[in-house]
Amino acid sequence: MADGDAPLAKRTPLTMILKLVATVIILALVVYSLDLEKLSGALSAIDWHWLLLGSLASALFVSLRIIKWRELTRRNGMNASGKDIARTALLGLAVGLITPVRLGELVGVAPFQRSDRGKAILSHGYDRLYELFAVLVFSLPAAFLLLGWTGRLVSVAIVALYGLGIAVAQSAYWRPKFGGFSLLGKVPKLKALLSAIIVTSPVYWMLSITYFLTGYLLLMCFIVGIEPIHNWHAVLILPVVTLSNLISITIGGLGVREGLAAALSPSVGLAREVAAAAFFLSFFSTRLIPGLIGLTWTAMSTKRHAPSTQGSAA
């Protein structure tokens, strides 16, 4: 394991236990609210061609997540081995499952030099802010479909204000003022860090857009593999459901996301069990399996480097 992985990955057992209990309770409520026979039938009846396409799209989705993170850090002067960036990003998916608001994903800053990790954490925060903005934008069509004029206007206002806030926060004029608070003057490094501008590039934004479109594509593959979509308005609710990832009270949002999908799907002509099944599959293909790969990769890397460390100590 790279230097810094372990401290970032540690969480109290109580937090993990509470999250596990919440996951079991919410999953039980979701399953109870659905027709269990239809849910199991949906999962078992999925066409293997669409399952394969959804799995391939899932692999691309995770890869794009890693690539855009590397592009963002490289653009801001932080360099590390591509292999280590990939390994810790996958590890972060696993640790993020059991930590509040997915803080465990911060293990992704471990490959960078210690002097760069503060800026890497700031970059990670901005990456999440950009992701939320993108999901809000993609959710606007659903707001126009499902809400009245008041709801539509409020939705547009929220997206516009959020986008304006990001633009102001990253502007050359306002950003240095964030480090100008008197209390920060006693911590020069923190003051300088908070004054820094996180640079993005056209490549980063193209990767981000492709990343989200791939996420929605894989969900559509799972849905169509179970039953044909008769109302293409079903596509519009997918971004809204992914907003539930902000509610991090269960392991990887499991149960919360599927419950919201089941609640919204009838409004667009989609069976509740089909929507829930598609999001169950996406949890396994985009978070659990890649996270387990990251854990295994890290364990093997640690074991491989352990003998040489012991030898040098001797």
Side-chain angles (χ1 to χ4, degrees):
M1 185 180 295
D3 178 36
D5 283 11
L8 286 168
K10 286 182 179 177
R11 301 302 302 176
T12 61
L14 179 60
T15 301
M16 299 179 189
I17 293 172
L18 290 175
K19 207 161 190 179
L20 180 60
V21 171
T23 302
V24 172
I25 293 174
I26 292 177
L27 265 180
L29 290 173
V30 170
V31 172
Y32 179 76
S33 69
L34 299 174
D35 186 317
L36 190 56
E37 184 175 346
K38 289 183 179 179
L39 179 61
S40 60
L43 289 169
S44 61
I46 184 169
D47 182 88
W48 74 267
H49 297 91
W50 287 105
L51 180 61
L52 178 60
L53 284 174
S55 300
L56 292 174
S58 298
L60 177 60
F61 177 78
V62 175
S63 299
L64 287 168
R65 179 187 179 91
I66 296 170
I67 295 169
K68 77 182 180 73
W69 169 238
R70 186 179 187 186
E71 167 64 17
L72 181 62
T73 52
R74 185 186 63 82
R75 182 66 61 172
N76 285 276
M78 294 168 280
N79 296 293
S81 161
K83 183 184 294 186
D84 286 338
I85 289 176
R87 178 181 61 80
T88 53
L90 292 174
L91 176 64
L93 291 176
V95 182
L97 292 176
I98 55 175
T99 51
V101 293
R102 293 159 50 187
L103 282 175
E105 293 180 1
L106 283 173
V107 298
V109 310
F112 303 106
Q113 295 180 7
R114 191 175 296 275
S115 59
D116 288 334
R117 286 181 187 168
K119 193 172 184 180
I121 291 173
L122 187 64
S123 298
H124 178 86
Y126 269 94
D127 191 34
R128 296 290 85 82
L129 288 175
Y130 297 149
E131 285 189 358
L132 175 57
F133 178 66
V135 175
L136 287 172
V137 171
F138 281 120
S139 297
L140 279 179
F144 276 79
L145 174 68
L146 301 174
L147 303 177
W149 278 106
T150 302
R152 295 170 186 175
L153 291 174
V154 170
S155 300
V156 171
I158 290 173
V159 173
L161 289 173
Y162 190 96
L164 180 63
I166 290 179
V168 168
Q170 281 297 87
S171 70
Y173 176 77
W174 285 103
R175 186 62 188 166
K177 295 181 181 296
F178 289 0
F181 299 108
S182 57
L183 290 176
L184 293 176
K186 298 179 181 180
V187 190
K189 289 185 178 180
L190 182 58
K191 180 178 180 180
L193 175 63
L194 293 179
S195 300
I197 293 178
I198 303 301
V199 180
T200 57
S201 65
V203 173
Y204 170 80
W205 288 111
M206 286 191 294
L207 287 169
S208 296
I209 293 172
T210 308
Y211 166 73
F212 281 105
L213 292 177
T214 303
Y216 304 139
L217 173 64
L218 70 91
L219 285 166
M220 293 306 299
C221 287
F222 291 145
I223 292 172
V224 174
I226 298 172
E227 72 173 27
I229 294 178
H230 302 292
N231 184 350
W232 284 95
H233 285 164
V235 180
L236 302 182
I237 69 166
L238 300 180
V240 179
V241 175
T242 57
L243 277 174
S244 64
N245 288 327
L246 297 174
I247 307 173
S248 183
I249 59 175
T250 63
I251 295 175
L254 191 60
V256 176
R257 187 173 47 248
E258 290 74 19
L260 181 58
L264 292 177
S265 57
S267 63
V268 291
L270 190 64
R272 298 165 71 238
E273 290 75 16
V274 171
F279 277 92
F280 273 129
L281 289 170
S282 73
F283 167 75
F284 284 97
S285 63
T286 64
R287 296 201 66 83
L288 184 60
I289 294 176
L292 290 175
I293 291 173
L295 278 173
T296 304
W297 189 357
T298 299
M300 292 175 62
S301 178
T302 303
K303 186 176 181 180
R304 187 165 57 248
H305 287 94
S308 60
T309 303
Q310 293 173 357
S312 60

